[in-house]
């Protein structure tokens, strides 16, 4: 008897229809003649789920008494005795009632599987053990009922049951998941759109990881070898060659395997300006990597492998992607290549991927002689070719019985001189010419083994050899210098084009520009210094990197920008030719700094313009909304003072009530105007302290009619860190606005709840609501939505409320009320002194 198969319907969130999908599968199997029974399925009074149970055989349940209450659980013995082909077991993460054979339902399922019974079960993504902390941080609810991930991973088949957050919320609003009295609370807490979206993403990522395991297993069975990467930060080393696009796309595929992966493409140019890269190709590759969501970096370094590894470790990369070398086999005599060197020196903390491409082994051309700043290995090879090689050649030629003749000997020595010039430059070539002349004279010119020359023709040959060797060495060195200069200028133009492109792309922040300077010149830190006058101390306008300098004199490199600004770099001393590019960066840094300051001044100007607009709107509002209650008060007072009419006590009371009502309106309006003025001038200074919401919110309801608000502030809520006075005014304005727009006979609900480190106060009305495009505008001053009557106020209540909430570090936003209306969500910071008592949703009601 073999082990039974396990099929799991994994729900992205509670209520998406896992149980319904499982029962639909059971009906399909019964129609095909499969012996399928219901071992345990809970319909939770959901009509559609209950209907799906009709026509399916159900095994009797076991009754257990616990603390005076009778519970029903799955009867394992009854299922084993019935021994069906397929058993339906709902809620895999369920905790059994004490007294059951096993503590968890998944342990019951393990017994059925060992008995050879196939099981179809359900579980929600939030019940997986490894995701407990993540789910709690998202929803504020700690799941007490969990199932080990390994149990779910071992399932023979996993099917994701998914639904968009909007569709699920509609399903709940229609009463298809919870009873009507629980819908509002569920929608405003656990089933908020953000929570559902996050849970959905967790489910998709978890299932995608499981699919990856299936695919690996398949490739292993069919001997398909391929590399699968986890979430990583991947550095792509570019040479500017055509293979760069292949590397970038390969890195993008690697990064797409997991959420949070990042691609950083880096092109490293030598500090002497030599490069074989095409600026056009680099531009194309930069655009490609940015389109794929990565970033492009241009770095200068003498030793390309070391610079690449230094950059990768500096950005905390875990993988490096390089292309196969384009060099031909014989060209490896000049060194192992960048890929092999990086792989050898990367260490255990970096994985190096060598990617094949169409340009591999097609050749990169002959190495070009460098007139300056040759690597140490090139200089050594140049001196060996110029000094040691002529000696070895002399030994070889003297060992021959028949020498090729003096003319051929001269050509061989001349070849070594040219080779020394190509490898090591002018000095090894001159040494080769001198050593070659002496060796030709001593060993191959009669009389041999002396420095005398008997035949004048031989003397002329030696002199001509020396002259030709020196001339060839000079020409080769001059060509190398010209190549160096041209390549240097091309490298500078590339960097300057990148700099100009960054400006055109909108990379105008000073820190971003200074970071680009630090990367380009491989510096430890870069700072932009400025001072008001020659006698004032220097101040840092911006800096990147550790330990930036405070004075230009303390920097390794400083570049003046005008009379009172300088760009200071620390890390190494730059050659003189690099200062031209550095000067361009310094000038651009000054421009960026000026632009930032202009933007700040523009913001101040906009603030002043906004103040002028508010003052203008204030005058317009005062012209009517202040005069209306004043006119009412004036009319009532005039009537009371009139001697022509004798008012009854009822009439006098009515006139006095009108005066009181008008005065209250004036007091409320003036209070909002003063509060708005304080907010606009930035003089609101909250006095933060820890307090319970039930000490503040009830006082805010004094300005609304009695029995118009339902209050739900649990005592288990944590304290909040707020200014009690500002919070009271904010809640009062929000509640008064909600009551104003609520229809007759409908109460406004004020409810509070704890979500992690936050406390939410939700003010729910059943009024006409607000369209999505107007939800932000209602918080602007002097804005009244819809057809609000003129007497409804000047539209400052919500603006003042949001200003006070922002000053306390909270948020105030508007949401739609399920079923119609508007919900104001006030989010505050919970105090650290008392932890909230988080309600745990019932396991069965969430599945």
């Amino acid at each position: 008897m073999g082990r039974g198969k396990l099929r799991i319907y994994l729900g992205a969130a509670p209520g998406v229809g896992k149980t319904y999908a499982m029962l639909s599968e059971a009906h399909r199997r019964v129609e095909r003649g499969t012996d399928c029974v219901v071992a345990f399925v809970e319909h939770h009074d959901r009509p559609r789920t209950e209907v799906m149970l009709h026509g399916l055989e159900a095994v009797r349940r076991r009754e257990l008494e616990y603390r005076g209450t009778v519970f029903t659980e799955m009867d394992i013995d009854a299922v084993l005795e019935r021994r069906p082909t397929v058993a339906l077991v709902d809620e895999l993460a369920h905790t059994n009632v004490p007294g059951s054979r096993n503590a968890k339902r998944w342990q019951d399922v393990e017994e059925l599987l060992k008995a050879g019974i196939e099981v179809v079960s359900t579980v929600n993504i939030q019940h997986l053990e490894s995701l407990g902390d993540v789910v709690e941080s998202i929803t504020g609810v700690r799941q007490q009922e969990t199932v080990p991930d390994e149990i779910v991973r071992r399932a023979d088949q996993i099917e994701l049951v998914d639904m968009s957050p909007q569709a699920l919320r509609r399903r709940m609003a229609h009463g298809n998941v919870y009873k009507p009295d629980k819908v509002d609370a569920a929608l405003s807490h656990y089933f908020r759109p953000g929570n559902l979206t996050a849970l959905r993403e967790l489910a998709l990522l978890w299932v995608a990881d499981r699919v990856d395991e299936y695919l690996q297993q398949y490739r292993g069975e069919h001997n398909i070898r391929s590399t699968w990467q986890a979430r990583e930060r991947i550095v792509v080393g570019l040479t500017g060659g055509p293979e760069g696009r292949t590397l970038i796309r390969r890195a993008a595929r690697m990064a797409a395997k997991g959420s949070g992966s990042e691609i950083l493409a880096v092109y490293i140019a030598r500090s002497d300006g030599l490069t074989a890269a095409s600026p056009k190709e680099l531009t194309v590759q930069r655009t490609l990597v940015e389109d794929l969501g990565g970033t492009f970096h241009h770095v200068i370094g003498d030793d390309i492998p070391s610079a690449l590894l230094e950059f990768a470790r500096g950005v905390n990369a875990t993988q490096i992607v390089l292309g196969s070398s384009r060099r031909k086999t014989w060209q490896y005599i000049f060194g192992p290549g960048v890929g092999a060197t990086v792989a050898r020196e990367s260490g255990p903390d970096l994985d190096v991927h060598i990617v094949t491409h169409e340009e591999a082994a097609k050749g990169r051309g002959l190495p070009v002689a460098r007139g300056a700043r040759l690597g140490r290995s090139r200089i050594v090879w140049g001196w060996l070719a110029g000094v040691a090689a002529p000696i070895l050649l002399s030994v070889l030629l003297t060992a021959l019985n028949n020498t090729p003749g003096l003319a051929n000997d001269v050509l061989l020595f001349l070849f070594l001189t040219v080779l020394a010039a190509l490898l090591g430059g002018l000095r090894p070539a001159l040494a080769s010419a001198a050593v070659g002349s002496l060796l030709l004279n001593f060993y191959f010119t009669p009389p041999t083994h002396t420095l005398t020359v008997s035949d004048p023709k031989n003397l002329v040959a030696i002199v001509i050899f020396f002259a030709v060797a020196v001339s060839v060495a000079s020409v080769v060195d001059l060509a190398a210098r010209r190549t160096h200069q041209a390549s240097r200028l091309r490298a500078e133009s590339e960097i300057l084009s990148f700099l100009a492109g960054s400006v055109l792309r909108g990379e105008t922040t000073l820190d971003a520009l200074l970071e680009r300077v630090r990367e380009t010149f491989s510096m430890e830190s870069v700072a932009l210094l400025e001072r008001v006058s020659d006698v004032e101390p220097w101040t840092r306008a911006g800096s990147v990197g550790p330990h930036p300098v405070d004075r230009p004199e303390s920097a390794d490199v400083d570049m003046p920008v005008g009379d009172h600004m300088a760009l200071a770099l620390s890390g190494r001393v730059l050659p003189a030719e690099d200062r031209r590019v550095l000067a361009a960066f310094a000038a651009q840094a000054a421009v960026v700094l000026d632009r930032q300051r202009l933007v700040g001044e523009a913001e101040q100007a906009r603030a002043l313009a906004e103040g002028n607009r508010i003052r203008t709107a204030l005058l317009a509002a005062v012209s009517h909304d202040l005069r209306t209650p004043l006119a009412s008060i004036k009319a009532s007072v005039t009537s009371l003072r009139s001697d022509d009419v004798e008012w009854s006590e009822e009439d006098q009371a009515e006139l006095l009530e009108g005066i009181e009502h008008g005065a209250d309106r004036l007091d409320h309006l003036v209070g909002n105007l003063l509060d708005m003025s304080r907010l606009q001038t930035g003089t609101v200074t909250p006095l933060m302290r820890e307090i319970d919401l039930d000490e503040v919110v009830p006082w805010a309801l004094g300005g609304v009619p009695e029995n118009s608000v339902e209050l739900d502030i649990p005592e288990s809520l944590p304290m909040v860190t707020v200014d009690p006075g500002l919070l009271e005014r904010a809640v009062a304005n929000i509640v008064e606005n909600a009551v104003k727009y609520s229809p007759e006979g409908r109460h406004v609900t004020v409810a509070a709840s704890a979500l992690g480190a936050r406390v939410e106060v939700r003010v729910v009305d059943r009024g006409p609501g607000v369209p999505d495009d107007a939800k932000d505008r209602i918080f602007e001053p002097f804005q009244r939505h819809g057809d609000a009557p003129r007497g409804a106020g000047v539209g400052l209540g919500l603006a003042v409320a949001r200003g006070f909430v922002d000053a306390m570090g909270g948020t105030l936003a508007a949401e739609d009320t399920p079923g119609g209306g508007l919900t104001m969500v006030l989010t505050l910071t919970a105090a650290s002194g008392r932890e909230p008592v988080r309600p745990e949703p019932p396991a069965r009601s969430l599945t």
Side-chain angles (χ1 to χ4, degrees):
M1 178 180 61
R3 178 183 174 87
K5 293 184 179 181
L6 174 61
R7 177 172 182 170
I8 294 179
Y9 285 90
L10 178 65
V16 294
K18 305 176 305 302
T19 304
Y20 189 92
M22 178 181 67
L23 294 175
S24 298
E25 173 65 19
H27 280 285
R28 288 191 293 269
R29 297 198 180 198
V30 170
E31 291 175 0
R32 294 195 298 264
T34 304
D35 182 16
C36 183
V37 302
V38 176
F40 189 96
V41 172
E42 189 67 60
H43 56 75
H44 303 296
D45 297 326
R46 298 170 187 170
R48 296 187 179 182
T49 305
E50 188 175 3
V51 168
M52 293 297 295
L53 286 170
H54 297 166
L56 296 177
E57 178 186 351
V59 178
R60 71 177 186 275
R61 298 185 182 184
R62 181 185 179 188
E63 294 184 352
L64 296 171
E65 184 176 352
Y66 180 66
R67 293 183 178 179
T69 305
V70 177
F71 298 89
T72 60
E73 294 288 357
M74 181 175 64
D75 192 337
I76 302 177
D77 294 329
V79 177
L80 293 175
E81 181 181 356
R82 170 63 176 78
R83 197 166 190 80
T85 304
V86 179
L88 306 182
V89 182
D90 204 6
E91 301 173 0
L92 187 63
H94 171 72
T95 300
N96 293 330
V97 175
S100 303
R101 180 189 304 181
N102 298 308
K104 292 287 189 177
R105 183 162 293 166
W106 62 265
Q107 296 172 328
D108 297 338
V109 170
E110 282 292 309
E111 286 196 33
L112 298 180
L113 295 174
K114 291 179 181 178
I117 300 175
E118 184 175 348
V119 176
V120 182
S121 186
T122 63
V123 70
N124 282 328
I125 189 67
Q126 71 265 24
H127 292 299
L128 295 181
E129 181 69 36
S130 65
L131 300 178
D133 295 337
V134 179
V135 173
E136 182 181 13
S137 65
I138 294 171
T139 64
V141 177
R142 181 67 182 186
Q143 299 294 333
Q144 301 299 328
E145 294 189 330
T146 59
V147 58
D149 290 43
E150 184 60 27
I151 300 300
V152 183
R153 287 183 178 274
R154 285 206 308 260
D156 298 276
Q157 187 173 353
I158 299 176
E159 184 170 338
L160 178 65
V161 183
D162 187 22
M163 181 179 292
S164 68
Q166 294 77 11
L168 180 55
R169 286 172 60 86
R170 285 195 300 269
R171 173 183 285 186
M172 296 191 65
H174 294 159
N176 294 332
V177 180
Y178 290 151
K179 293 182 178 179
D181 59 339
K182 297 181 179 180
V183 171
D184 286 344
L187 290 177
S188 61
H189 293 86
Y190 195 89
F191 291 87
R192 293 181 300 172
N195 291 358
L196 297 178
T197 302
L199 292 174
R200 188 185 192 193
E201 183 178 10
L202 282 176
L204 291 172
L205 290 174
W206 197 91
V207 173
D209 184 55
R210 178 60 175 151
V211 172
D212 190 26
E213 293 178 6
Y214 279 131
L215 190 56
Q216 287 185 5
Q217 180 181 358
Y218 174 82
R219 293 189 175 186
E221 294 173 352
H222 294 78
N223 293 324
I224 301 175
R225 299 184 177 274
S226 181
T227 303
W228 295 87
Q229 301 297 330
R231 301 180 183 96
E232 303 286 352
R233 173 170 284 191
I234 305 171
V235 170
V236 184
L238 302 178
T239 65
E243 76 281 358
R245 305 181 200 182
T246 303
L247 302 184
I248 294 171
R249 294 190 180 97
R250 179 69 177 112
R253 292 195 297 272
M254 294 165 59
K257 302 303 180 183
S259 176
S261 299
E262 185 178 356
I263 304 174
L264 300 94
V266 56
Y267 169 67
I268 300 177
R270 294 184 181 273
S271 61
D272 59 3
L274 293 173
T275 175
S278 167
K280 181 178 179 180
E281 182 63 29
L282 281 177
T283 302
V284 172
Q285 293 176 13
R286 178 174 191 147
T287 303
L288 176 60
V289 72
E290 290 176 350
D291 289 343
L292 293 174
T295 57
F296 186 91
H297 303 267
H298 191 138
V299 178
I300 289 180
D302 289 327
D303 190 342
I304 292 180
S306 299
L308 180 59
L309 290 171
E310 182 180 354
F311 174 84
R313 294 191 176 103
V315 298
N316 295 323
T318 56
Q319 298 189 56
I320 299 178
V321 176
L322 299 173
S324 299
S325 177
R326 287 184 285 138
R327 297 189 296 177
K328 294 183 179 296
T329 304
W330 65 270
Q331 291 178 308
Y332 282 95
I333 63 174
F334 299 105
V338 174
T341 304
V342 170
R344 184 181 66 248
E345 299 179 0
S346 62
D349 57 336
L350 279 173
D351 294 335
V352 180
H353 301 269
I354 305 297
V355 179
T356 59
H357 50 86
E358 295 180 354
E359 302 296 325
K362 290 187 176 180
R364 300 182 60 182
L366 290 171
V368 181
R370 295 170 172 84
R373 294 189 202 166
L374 296 170
R376 179 179 299 178
S377 61
R378 292 294 301 272
I379 294 176
V380 171
W381 280 105
W383 282 101
L384 289 176
V387 177
I391 295 175
L392 294 177
L393 179 61
S394 299
V395 173
L396 179 63
L397 292 177
T398 54
L400 297 176
N401 295 326
N402 296 322
T403 60
L406 182 59
N408 293 325
D409 294 340
V410 169
L411 292 176
L412 291 175
F413 278 93
L414 182 61
F415 168 76
L416 294 179
T417 302
V418 174
L419 182 62
L422 290 173
L423 292 175
L426 182 60
R427 292 182 181 179
L430 294 178
S432 178
V435 172
S437 300
L438 292 175
L439 292 175
L440 283 172
N441 185 5
F442 190 81
Y443 287 104
F444 305 104
T445 304
T448 59
H449 302 94
T450 64
L451 294 179
T452 59
V453 179
S454 59
D455 190 348
K457 296 180 180 179
N458 294 335
L459 178 61
V460 172
I462 294 175
V463 171
I464 293 176
F465 161 75
F466 184 80
V468 170
V470 172
S471 300
V472 170
S474 300
V475 170
V476 171
D477 182 72
L478 180 62
R481 290 179 184 274
R482 293 291 183 266
T483 303
H484 160 68
Q485 293 174 359
S487 301
R488 173 85 195 175
L489 292 175
R490 183 168 63 178
E492 291 181 2
S493 65
E494 291 173 8
I495 295 175
L496 294 177
S497 67
F498 289 147
L499 179 61
S502 66
V503 177
L504 294 176
R505 286 187 298 271
E507 299 175 7
T508 56
T509 62
L510 182 60
D511 289 343
L513 181 62
L514 296 181
E515 181 63 29
R516 188 174 295 277
V517 174
R518 190 175 73 89
E519 289 181 354
T520 299
F521 296 99
S522 299
M523 289 293 180
E524 293 181 359
S525 64
V526 179
L528 182 63
L529 308 176
E530 63 174 349
R531 59 182 178 180
V532 179
S533 63
D534 294 338
V535 296
E536 295 292 330
W538 291 93
T539 59
R540 281 201 298 263
S543 63
V544 294
H547 311 299
V549 299
D550 295 323
R551 299 182 305 163
E553 296 81 7
S554 304
D556 294 320
V557 181
D558 69 286
M559 175 59 64
V561 186
D563 296 331
H564 302 119
M565 188 176 293
L567 191 64
L569 293 80
S570 300
R572 65 188 181 94
V573 178
L574 290 180
E577 54 267 29
D578 282 341
R579 296 180 67 87
R580 291 196 301 271
V581 179
L582 183 60
F585 275 107
Q588 183 61 32
V591 171
V592 169
L593 180 61
D594 290 341
R595 185 185 294 111
Q596 286 186 350
R597 289 174 175 171
L598 289 175
V599 170
E601 294 176 359
E603 290 293 335
Q604 294 178 359
R606 277 194 290 270
L608 293 175
E610 179 66 15
N612 291 331
R613 187 189 68 82
I614 290 178
R615 281 191 289 272
T616 303
L618 174 61
L619 292 175
V622 167
S623 65
H624 184 277
D625 293 278
L626 283 178
R627 293 175 61 184
T628 299
L630 282 175
S632 175
I633 295 172
K634 175 67 175 177
S636 299
V637 171
T638 302
S639 299
L640 288 173
R641 295 187 62 187
S642 175
D643 297 332
D644 300 335
V645 180
E646 291 186 5
W647 302 99
S648 64
E649 293 183 0
E650 292 80 2
D651 293 336
Q652 291 180 6
E654 184 177 354
L655 291 174
L656 290 174
E657 183 180 359
I659 294 173
E660 184 180 13
H661 179 68
D664 290 339
R665 286 182 57 191
L666 277 177
D667 179 69
H668 181 72
L669 180 59
V670 172
N672 277 338
L673 290 174
L674 292 176
D675 290 338
M676 199 67 225
S677 176
R678 293 169 58 200
L679 290 171
Q680 291 296 324
T681 56
T683 57
V684 176
T685 304
L687 302 177
M688 309 293 286
R689 66 185 181 92
E690 297 181 359
I691 193 171
D692 283 314
L693 280 178
D694 54 9
E695 298 181 23
V696 179
V697 175
W699 288 97
L701 307 182
V704 298
E706 294 185 2
N707 300 323
S708 62
V709 177
E710 291 183 353
L711 195 60
D712 181 14
I713 308 293
E715 295 182 357
S716 60
L717 285 179
M719 302 177 72
V720 293
T721 304
V722 296
D723 182 318
L726 297 183
L727 178 60
E728 180 182 342
R729 292 296 303 276
V731 174
N733 284 352
I734 297 171
V735 173
E736 289 175 7
N737 184 78
V739 172
K740 182 191 310 179
Y741 288 97
S742 291
E744 291 291 339
R746 300 300 296 272
H747 296 288
V748 171
T749 302
V750 179
S753 60
L755 295 170
R758 309 182 306 276
V759 174
E760 282 189 355
V761 179
R762 306 179 75 88
V763 180
V764 183
D765 67 61
R766 296 293 179 177
V770 176
D772 292 339
D773 57 354
K775 283 187 173 63
D776 288 333
R777 292 201 304 271
I778 62 176
F779 295 103
E780 297 179 2
F782 307 105
Q783 295 291 325
R784 294 182 299 178
H785 177 68
D787 54 353
R790 292 294 299 175
V794 296
L796 284 176
L798 293 181
V800 170
R802 172 172 275 189
F804 284 170
V805 172
D806 290 342
M808 294 184 293
T811 60
L812 178 61
E815 295 180 357
D816 291 328
T817 300
L822 188 68
T823 298
M824 290 291 178
V825 183
L826 171 59
T827 304
L828 302 171
T829 302
S832 58
R834 191 173 76 196
E835 290 295 327
V837 178
R838 295 166 178 161
E840 173 66 25
R844 296 183 182 178
S845 65
L846 286 180
T847 56

